[in-house]
Amino acid sequence: MYGFEALTFNIHAGYLEAIVRGHRAGLLTAADYNNLCQCETLDDIKMHLSATEYGSYLQNEPSPLHTTTIVEKCTLKLVDDYKHMLCQATEPLSTFLEYITYGHMIDNVVLIVTGTLHERDVQELLEKCHPLGMFDSIATLAVAQNMRELYRLVLVDTPLAPYFSECITSEDLDDMNIEIMRNTLYKAYLEDFYRFCQKLGGATAEIMSDLLSFEADRRAVNITINSIGTELTRDDRKKLYSNFGLFYPYGHEELAVCEDIDQVRGVMEKYPPYQSIFSKLSYGESQMLDKAFYEEEVKRLCLAFEQQFHYGVFFAYMRLREQEIRNLMWISECVAQNQKSRVHDSVVFIF
Amino acid sequence: MEEQDQMQSSIEVEEVEEQQREGKRLEEENVVRFLDSLDSYVTLLDSLSSTLRQGWLELASARQSMGASRINGALLDLKSHSAATSLQVTHHDDEILNQPHFTLCKWASSKNGYGDEKLRENKLQTNSDGPQLRHRSQFAGTPEKIPETKGAPLIVDDQVQKERTKSLSMFGTLVSPKLRAAQLSFETALETLVEIANVRLTMLSTSDQVRKELEGTEG
């Protein structure tokens, strides 16, 4: 049962909910995507985006444009929106908003550590980091030789510190350890975020538990598919699954032993909410699975806006913007590579 | 006496005609060979173009699936390591086709040294001088010579798969199937490139022969 949020929510978060709903109205529509899909060059894309909320971010970019430039500038728009909401937010909304960025923080940590292992310049790596995941001491990650040092020197003062308890070892960092570290951190982060939302209660808990459960289930499926044919053992694979979600615990037992995509399909089809995902795919096919997952995610995120007085709208907006940026990246790549016939392979319409 | 002279001259005329027919046949063979190699060359160029387009799109698809932070140029490994794939240049002893021949050695294991090189079976060539190994990687040291052998042992499929996974590990060990598909596409493109080089050599060689024959005929 909800706890009378309608009486008190607007006192602290009413302004920001209105702001985020306004931002939602600025998301690209199907008509916008149809225009973008017909562009011949990246400059055409820039011209079409000039009439959208991305216009001011792209207008000063010189030709010739690159796909990464378009993605970077569109991401800046997302970052500006987020920072505006964060600086206006009070507790517990500010903590909720910070939780949304921890995933990017984990990605940045892994990027710096992997790049350092490959003897890349730290400045070059910092330029590739996602702006939402930056923190003050991120450059110091380059000096760590193992996870214990990583934690002791840098991460102990960051929000990721609690997530390191399961993966602190003195083993030197290598590709496999880094991959396990990435997934273990993300698992711990998702579980922590889930617990936090449950503590908030009300509509936030209900809506966010659905969204985060879907995220956990999707990650379980992706980890399974990506680890097929690798040296990751079944036990190690199972340890990377989150301890919540529709698949927990019996679905995880079955996913851990899957050896091909059809076995994964067999597991997912036992769960009615996920039957529609695989119904779009033929047997043995995995190429369109990502798009099917994104479509399902977008449907759930849009439904979050149907209800008021909860924090799920902020999470939903951030995720929808990220999906929009992914769409723009894909359209730009297809235009740049002169493969417009494939543009609809990965574009997910939001409205 | 006159009859013997006549028979002698008719035999000589037949021999000359036979030589002329033989010469024409060889000319036509060379022309057909040139046209065949030209057709193969054009077909392979088209195949290379479509394979590369597919590879680049699969890479973009993998980037979209895994995220830009996981697939970008900043993760490429700058540490010194030996080439996983190298190009062998061999020289034919054939008098007619005195030209080099390219062979791709894919996924040669750096740990096992020379014993596990995989050669393409239909392109395997050896000669008494031994092949001159050229390293395609910029990180390799001085060029190495492999011992003279009549044939190289084949790497088993799982060893090849391990080498493929090792190459992709710079992007992480749990990568999307799309990235693996992109790797296969670029691998196929590399094979096609080597085939194009060989076909181009044949085409240029037969083209030279046809031109010489035409010049000889005109002269």
Side-chain angles (χ1 to χ4, degrees):
Chain A
M1 279 298 291
Y2 298 163
F4 303 99
E5 288 109 351
L7 293 177
T8 55
F9 186 88
N10 281 347
I11 298 169
H12 296 291
Y15 166 69
L16 285 176
E17 183 176 350
I19 290 287
V20 84
R21 286 182 183 273
H23 285 321
R24 174 192 176 266
L27 290 168
L28 298 179
T29 61
D32 291 321
Y33 284 121
N34 285 335
N35 288 337
L36 287 167
C37 290
Q38 288 171 21
C39 290
E40 293 290 330
T41 63
L42 295 181
D43 285 318
D44 287 346
I45 291 179
K46 175 183 161 186
M47 189 188 69
H48 277 99
L49 289 178
S50 65
T52 68
E53 292 185 358
Y54 296 114
S56 56
Y57 293 88
L58 283 169
Q59 65 186 10
N60 294 327
E61 289 306 308
S63 296
L65 274 179
H66 198 269
T67 54
T68 50
T69 309
I70 294 177
V71 172
E72 273 169 27
K73 296 305 169 187
C74 293
T75 305
L76 284 182
K77 151 86 182 141
L78 171 66
V79 172
D80 286 346
D81 289 348
Y82 172 80
K83 284 183 175 167
H84 171 73
M85 292 191 293
L86 184 65
C87 72
Q88 300 280 340
T90 57
E91 285 292 342
L93 178 57
S94 53
T95 302
F96 182 91
L97 289 173
E98 283 168 1
Y99 264 105
I100 295 174
T101 64
Y102 292 170
H104 294 299
M105 220 178 270
I106 292 169
D107 287 339
N108 287 350
V109 167
V110 173
L111 173 66
I112 299 281
V113 168
T114 307
T116 305
L117 194 69
H118 296 162
E119 297 184 4
R120 304 299 301 223
D121 181 48
V122 174
Q123 272 311 118
E124 190 186 3
L125 296 169
L126 289 173
E127 285 168 14
K128 297 286 182 185
C129 288
H130 197 288
L132 283 178
M134 296 298 277
F135 52 93
D136 290 336
S137 51
I138 191 170
T140 324
L141 287 168
V143 304
Q145 298 294 320
N146 55 52
M147 287 184 227
R148 201 175 291 278
E149 283 182 15
L150 210 60
Y151 175 76
R152 192 173 55 83
L153 294 175
V154 185
L155 297 171
V156 65
D157 295 321
T158 66
L160 301 181
Y163 308 146
F164 261 80
S165 60
E166 289 185 37
C167 53
I168 293 183
T169 67
S170 296
E171 286 180 30
D172 278 351
L173 292 164
D174 62 22
D175 291 322
M176 180 54 95
N177 290 344
I178 291 173
E179 189 70 42
I180 292 179
M181 178 182 81
R182 181 209 310 272
N183 286 286
T184 308
L185 284 177
Y186 209 93
K187 171 191 169 181
Y189 151 63
L190 270 187
E191 289 172 359
D192 189 33
F193 195 7
Y194 184 81
R195 281 192 297 269
F196 176 76
C197 293
Q198 293 299 306
K199 254 198 296 189
L200 291 175
T204 300
E206 184 190 346
I207 288 166
M208 284 305 297
S209 76
D210 175 63
L211 294 174
L212 291 177
S213 295
F214 179 79
E215 176 70 18
D217 292 339
R218 179 173 61 177
R219 281 190 63 81
V221 170
N222 283 336
I223 286 169
T224 307
I225 290 173
N226 294 347
S227 61
I228 290 172
T230 68
E231 293 173 353
L232 194 71
T233 63
R234 290 176 177 181
D235 287 337
D236 284 343
R237 185 197 283 180
K238 199 171 151 200
K239 282 182 198 165
L240 300 180
Y241 300 148
S242 300
N243 293 332
F244 68 100
L246 208 57
F247 289 148
Y248 176 77
Y250 305 112
H252 288 169
E253 299 282 340
E254 294 182 51
L255 281 175
V257 298
C258 287
E259 297 293 338
D260 59 50
I261 184 73
D262 289 328
Q263 289 179 11
V264 174
R265 174 198 279 265
V267 172
M268 285 187 70
E269 282 178 341
K270 292 178 188 170
Y271 296 84
Y274 299 135
Q275 281 173 353
S276 60
I277 291 177
F278 269 96
S279 66
K280 299 174 192 174
L281 307 174
S282 53
Y283 278 91
E285 183 195 355
S286 66
Q287 299 291 329
M288 304 302 285
L289 182 61
D290 283 327
K291 185 180 178 186
F293 268 125
Y294 285 138
E295 284 174 344
E296 179 67 24
E297 184 188 21
V298 161
K299 209 171 21 168
R300 292 175 187 229
L301 292 170
C302 288
L303 282 176
F305 285 93
E306 298 299 314
Q307 214 168 328
Q308 270 187 282
F309 312 128
H310 63 90
Y311 295 160
V313 289
F314 300 99
F315 179 83
Y317 169 69
M318 296 293 289
R319 286 299 172 96
L320 286 173
R321 239 344 147 183
E322 286 171 6
Q323 178 60 50
E324 186 172 90
I325 291 170
R326 270 196 295 273
N327 287 343
L328 289 173
M329 179 170 76
W330 180 252
I331 294 172
S332 304
E333 285 285 349
C334 288
V335 167
Q337 293 183 26
N338 199 19
Q339 303 220 46
K340 279 166 47 181
S341 58
R342 303 289 298 273
V343 75
H344 290 289
D345 283 2
S346 292
V347 171
V348 177
F349 293 116
I350 297 172
F351 299 119
Chain B
M1 190 64 177
E2 281 180 7
E3 283 179 6
Q4 279 179 354
D5 287 342
Q6 277 178 359
M7 275 179 67
Q8 187 69 25
S9 63
S10 69
I11 289 170
E12 283 172 4
V13 163
E14 277 178 15
E15 278 177 4
V16 165
E17 282 175 359
E18 183 63 34
Q19 279 175 6
Q20 281 176 351
R21 276 197 293 270
E22 183 64 23
K24 260 198 172 170
R25 192 179 62 77
L26 283 173
E27 275 177 27
E28 284 170 4
E29 268 183 20
N30 283 335
V31 168
V32 167
R33 209 180 316 156
F34 168 70
L35 292 173
D36 279 345
S37 58
L38 181 63
D39 180 59
S40 303
Y41 182 70
V42 170
T43 307
L44 285 171
L45 279 180
D46 188 55
S47 167
L48 176 69
S49 171
S50 67
T51 308
L52 283 175
R53 277 166 65 84
Q54 185 182 332
W56 284 118
L57 195 70
E58 282 163 349
L59 187 63
S61 183
R63 197 179 148 97
Q64 205 211 14
S65 170
M66 293 170 61
S69 67
R70 289 196 65 183
I71 306 225
N72 64 72
L75 290 172
L76 296 176
D77 199 342
L78 289 185
K79 284 191 294 197
S80 297
H81 55 275
S82 53
T85 298
S86 53
L87 188 69
Q88 272 190 332
V89 182
T90 55
H91 289 271
H92 286 285
D93 280 341
D94 193 340
E95 287 176 0
I96 299 172
L97 295 175
N98 186 19
Q99 63 189 25
H101 188 88
F102 302 107
T103 311
L104 198 65
C105 299
K106 290 198 309 182
W107 308 119
S109 169
S110 56
K111 287 183 186 172
N112 295 336
Y114 311 120
D116 289 344
E117 279 185 341
K118 177 176 180 177
L119 301 177
R120 287 163 57 85
E121 290 176 9
N122 58 343
K123 298 287 184 192
L124 182 58
Q125 296 285 340
T126 57
N127 59 27
S128 56
D129 293 331
Q132 296 298 316
L133 191 67
R134 279 191 198 162
H135 284 266
R136 303 180 75 245
S137 165
Q138 60 180 319
F139 305 118
T142 53
E144 301 168 3
K145 280 192 177 181
I146 63 171
E148 291 179 15
T149 53
K150 288 197 173 171
L154 296 175
I155 299 174
V156 294
D157 283 344
D158 60 346
Q159 181 67 25
V160 170
Q161 197 53 42
K162 277 184 190 164
E163 293 288 336
R164 285 198 178 111
T165 308
K166 192 174 149 194
S167 291
L168 281 185
S169 63
M170 70 180 83
F171 300 117
T173 45
L174 300 182
V175 296
S176 165
K178 294 175 183 175
L179 190 64
R180 297 186 205 278
Q183 184 185 41
L184 282 176
S185 293
F186 288 126
E187 199 178 312
T188 306
L190 195 57
E191 291 169 11
T192 309
L193 212 53
V194 173
E195 273 187 65
I196 286 175
N198 286 324
V199 166
R200 185 179 164 87
L201 284 172
T202 307
M203 187 179 74
L204 291 173
S205 164
T206 50
S207 160
D208 282 342
Q209 281 175 358
V210 168
R211 198 169 341 114
K212 277 180 197 163
E213 281 161 9
L214 283 175
E215 284 166 3
T217 310
E218 284 168 8

